[in-house]
Amino acid sequence: MIEKLKMQTPNITEQNMEQIAKLFPNVMTETQDEKGNIQKAIDFDLLKQSLSSVLVDDADERYRLDWSGKKAALLKANTPITKTLRPCREDSVNFDSTENVYIEGDNFEVLKILQESYLGKIKMIYIDPPYNTGKDFIYKDNFTAKKADYEEELGTTDEEDNKLFKNTDTNGRFHSDWLSMMYERLIVARDLLKEDGVIFISIDDEVHNLRKICDEVFGEENFIECISWNKRIPKNDKGIGNIHEYIFLYIKNIDTKPEFTMRKEGLDDIYDLLKTLKNQNIPLKDAEIEVKKLYKKNAYDRGITLYNSLNDDYKLWGKINMSWPNANTFGPTYEVLHPLTKKPVNIPDRGWRWKKETFDLAALRKSGEYQSIKKLHDGSVMCGKIWFSSNENTQPSSITYLDDVNTFLLRSILSLKSDGGVEVESTFEGKSFFSYPKPSSLLVTLLGSQVFHKDDIILDFFSGSATTAHAVMQLNAEDNNNRKFIMVQLPEVTDKKSEAYKAGYKTIAEIGKERIRRAGKIINDE
């Protein structure tokens, strides 16, 4: 076959832009052509800054998120440092054999140092950075702009240090502080990721600004999802019961065709219950009630809780709607007779999802007759893999068995109880040492969504109470995998009035290290 000739030479400019975008996704922006159409463009000033060791000036307008200190943050991210890490054997457990790492120090400097050994080697990053509450920050590496420095940079004071306008909390300083802190760290963190590496970022108040930063650093095309985490515990501080936070998900290279799934290992409790119900010969109707109670207790995702019916062998199955899903198109409208009443069932408004031949095969039907009709305890019937209600007024559904489902896609809404505080208290024998830690169940869900290979590494550079490390150890124990973790935490001093300080934990890092020791022992004992 003769290939059709392309009546146009290759667009070298577009190809070059694609190559630049892969190396520096943060320099991609949008401009208008002579006809006013929006088109992709390169921010050459940002590109120059990315390749420069000095500060580059720029005053042109374009589509982007700007703030005071952005260029300085980019310069800082691209500037080498002359520091190293010192091992601490006395605080370590199995120092010579373990490949897990806990680093105490300024996380920006640590990220820079990690580039030497871990460039392009991190499979997954999870961070729960400090949320911007609109108040001044106190941080070891001084990412908060001092008020005088901020005003000088904006030109808000004259040569004699007289204020040119009133400085208020709404003039941007508190946003700029947080944005610069996140921007420079994410730029460095991106280089640590493998090509199929992903980053999850928990966020609340600065969700709108963080999305713009991440689009710039990782590339808008590498955005996967903004997951809503339903914490199930309302917080009423603005006249509404707020029960959710957000989790951004980006991948380094969308061309690696990622897939994020829910863990089936977490269904052990369900299968244990089914085994018990079957051994005790509990009636199916009562057994289904017990299954639903377990779903509610463990807050299983809806993708799993749809499997709420049992067959005679106590295997869970669920119904899938058979109507055509798209309102703008239509499926076939063949007649389906109810296996008991022999009357036509209601045809979906948009037709059936399947062709007639596919339906007949799944329903074990030949020449309009069903070859197998199995009555269920609630009066409904099953013919092959098609379910019918007790009458023709309800449309039939296809069925699937939980045992036959290999994967569930990770959901964009996760309902997991925010019991991280209780978990930490349990680890420290009832002592409350940390405020609002994330539950390990959330991290286990995120970690379990990815396929890990030998020596794959998880990084958390806002380690806090070390929930991520706890989750890695727990998940490894469950599926016999060998994930490694790197935790980074600033030695932030605990409040002298706090229970943690009174118990001898002078910094948050000390709490995190002790939690890892205790959690590791608990998991190992179990």
Side-chain angles (χ1 to χ4, degrees):
M1 181 182 294
I2 299 176
E3 293 186 6
K4 187 176 181 180
L5 293 176
K6 296 179 180 179
M7 305 303 292
Q8 181 178 324
T9 58
N11 191 325
I12 303 300
T13 300
E14 288 186 359
Q15 294 178 9
N16 290 337
M17 288 178 65
E18 290 176 1
Q19 293 301 315
I20 291 175
K22 289 181 179 179
L23 293 173
F24 306 102
N26 60 306
V27 306
M28 300 308 295
T29 185
E30 297 172 1
T31 59
Q32 287 184 330
D33 61 18
E34 62 276 5
K35 296 181 180 179
N37 299 317
I38 299 297
Q39 60 183 13
K40 286 186 178 181
I42 293 175
D43 185 335
F44 287 101
D45 293 300
L46 270 181
L47 180 59
K48 285 190 292 183
Q49 184 65 75
S50 297
L51 299 171
S52 176
S53 60
V54 297
L55 201 61
V56 177
D57 292 328
D58 169 38
D60 293 336
E61 290 183 345
R62 59 179 60 84
Y63 172 73
R64 66 181 183 186
L65 175 65
D66 266 334
W67 65 89
S68 175
K70 181 177 181 179
K71 284 186 181 178
L74 179 58
L75 180 63
K76 183 178 176 183
N78 293 329
T79 302
I81 62 173
T82 56
K83 295 188 178 182
T84 187
L85 297 174
R86 179 178 59 85
C88 189
R89 289 179 173 271
E90 59 272 18
D91 284 352
S92 303
V93 177
N94 300 325
F95 182 90
D96 294 318
S97 60
T98 184
E99 296 180 66
N100 296 321
V101 181
Y102 188 98
I103 303 173
E104 187 174 342
D106 166 17
N107 59 9
F108 179 72
E109 293 180 346
V110 171
L111 287 172
K112 287 272 196 175
I113 297 170
L114 289 177
Q115 286 182 320
E116 184 175 346
S117 301
Y118 294 95
L119 194 68
K121 294 183 179 180
I122 302 297
K123 171 65 175 180
M124 175 177 160
I125 297 174
Y126 170 82
I127 55 172
D128 180 19
Y131 298 163
N132 184 8
T133 59
K135 299 178 181 179
D136 221 345
F137 289 116
I138 299 175
Y139 207 73
K140 185 70 173 282
D141 72 346
N142 196 27
F143 70 76
T144 300
K146 294 179 181 178
K147 188 178 296 186
D149 294 342
Y150 181 84
E151 290 172 351
E152 180 180 355
E153 186 168 353
L154 282 185
T156 58
T157 57
D158 59 22
E159 294 178 355
E160 297 178 356
D161 203 32
N162 296 314
K163 281 192 178 182
L164 301 182
F165 69 88
K166 185 177 181 181
N167 181 38
T168 66
D169 289 2
T170 58
N171 73 358
R173 180 169 67 91
F174 297 101
H175 288 291
S176 296
D177 300 344
W178 191 88
L179 290 170
S180 292
M181 181 274 293
M182 290 299 297
Y183 187 55
E184 60 199 27
R185 283 160 175 77
L186 291 176
I187 288 173
V188 181
R190 177 186 178 273
D191 291 336
L192 296 174
L193 286 174
K194 301 172 68 173
E195 282 301 293
D196 63 346
V198 300
I199 181 168
F200 292 90
I201 309 176
S202 287
I203 192 60
D204 192 358
D205 295 321
E206 287 281 2
V207 60
H208 51 296
N209 283 331
L210 181 63
R211 173 67 189 273
K212 293 183 176 68
I213 290 179
C214 288
D215 282 348
E216 182 174 319
V217 172
F218 297 100
E220 189 173 357
E221 69 280 3
N222 293 315
F223 170 74
I224 300 294
E225 188 56 81
C226 175
I227 298 171
S228 293
W229 169 38
N230 176 7
K231 300 183 292 185
R232 302 169 63 193
I233 299 178
K235 178 181 69 174
N236 180 10
D237 58 353
K238 294 181 180 178
I240 189 171
N242 186 321
I243 61 172
H244 73 282
E245 290 183 16
Y246 302 101
I247 304 170
F248 280 142
L249 170 55
Y250 282 80
I251 189 165
K252 186 173 183 179
N253 185 353
I254 194 67
D255 293 338
T256 57
K257 301 187 183 333
E259 184 175 72
F260 300 85
T261 59
M262 302 290 286
R263 299 170 50 250
K264 286 197 71 172
E265 290 84 352
L267 305 182
D268 291 341
D269 289 345
I270 296 177
Y271 292 124
D272 288 343
L273 174 62
L274 294 177
K275 184 177 180 180
T276 300
L277 295 171
K278 182 178 180 180
N279 290 339
Q280 296 179 359
N281 200 28
I282 302 297
L284 293 176
K285 183 177 181 180
D286 296 333
E288 288 174 357
I289 293 175
E290 293 302 314
V291 169
K292 291 175 183 177
K293 287 181 180 178
L294 179 64
Y295 285 163
K296 184 176 181 180
K297 175 184 176 183
N298 288 5
Y300 282 110
D301 177 80
R302 178 170 171 76
I304 296 174
T305 60
L306 287 175
Y307 296 85
N308 52 33
S309 299
L310 291 169
N311 69 2
D312 292 341
D313 197 33
Y314 290 80
K315 289 188 175 182
L316 281 165
W317 58 275
K319 299 188 285 286
I320 299 177
N321 195 320
M322 288 191 63
S323 62
W324 187 260
N326 193 328
N328 297 321
T329 57
F330 300 88
T333 56
Y334 51 84
E335 185 178 80
V336 173
L337 297 180
H338 192 279
L340 297 181
T341 68
K342 307 300 182 182
K343 296 180 180 179
V345 301
N346 291 331
I347 298 176
D349 293 338
R350 298 189 300 275
W352 300 107
R353 185 190 296 264
W354 292 349
K355 296 178 181 178
K356 182 177 181 298
E357 294 78 8
T358 305
F359 179 90
D360 288 344
L361 183 64
L364 300 178
R365 187 174 72 163
K366 295 180 180 179
S367 303
E369 294 295 327
Y370 298 96
Q371 306 302 303
S372 173
I373 301 176
K374 187 175 183 179
K375 292 187 177 181
L376 305 178
H377 64 82
D378 61 357
S380 61
V381 295
M382 192 183 297
C383 301
K385 287 198 171 185
I386 303 295
W387 171 90
F388 293 85
S389 71
S390 58
N391 58 64
E392 68 279 355
N393 295 326
T394 301
Q395 294 164 0
S397 299
S398 65
I399 69 166
T400 57
Y401 287 90
L402 184 60
D403 290 351
D404 296 333
V405 179
N406 293 320
T407 58
F408 295 95
L409 288 178
L410 182 66
R411 300 299 195 256
S412 60
I413 298 179
L414 298 176
S415 180
L416 295 166
K417 189 175 182 181
S418 181
D419 57 358
V422 176
E423 187 174 43
V424 173
E425 287 183 20
S426 176
T427 304
F428 284 92
E429 301 174 352
K431 300 293 185 180
S432 179
F433 292 154
F434 209 89
S435 299
Y436 309 113
K438 293 292 186 288
S440 63
S441 58
L442 175 64
L443 271 298
V444 165
T445 298
L446 301 180
L447 286 164
S449 71
Q450 285 287 274
V451 176
F452 285 84
H453 302 287
K454 184 180 179 182
D455 298 325
D456 273 346
I457 302 168
I458 295 95
L459 168 65
D460 183 346
F461 52 90
F462 286 102
S463 177
S465 67
T467 298
T468 303
H470 190 159
V472 171
M473 294 187 293
Q474 180 66 47
L475 195 53
N476 282 344
E478 290 181 11
D479 62 16
N480 199 31
N481 209 318
N482 194 33
R483 306 168 185 84
K484 316 293 195 312
F485 66 72
I486 299 176
M487 300 291 108
V488 184
Q489 177 56 43
L490 191 74
E492 183 179 341
V493 178
T494 55
D495 191 324
K496 291 185 178 181
K497 298 179 181 179
S498 67
E499 291 297 319
Y501 189 90
K502 295 175 182 177
Y505 301 104
K506 300 301 188 291
T507 67
I508 290 178
E510 291 178 3
I511 299 174
K513 287 185 288 186
E514 181 62 20
R515 180 184 182 180
I516 293 174
R517 298 187 192 101
R518 290 174 177 251
K521 185 177 186 306
I522 292 171
I523 293 169
N524 189 56
D525 291 344
E526 291 177 350

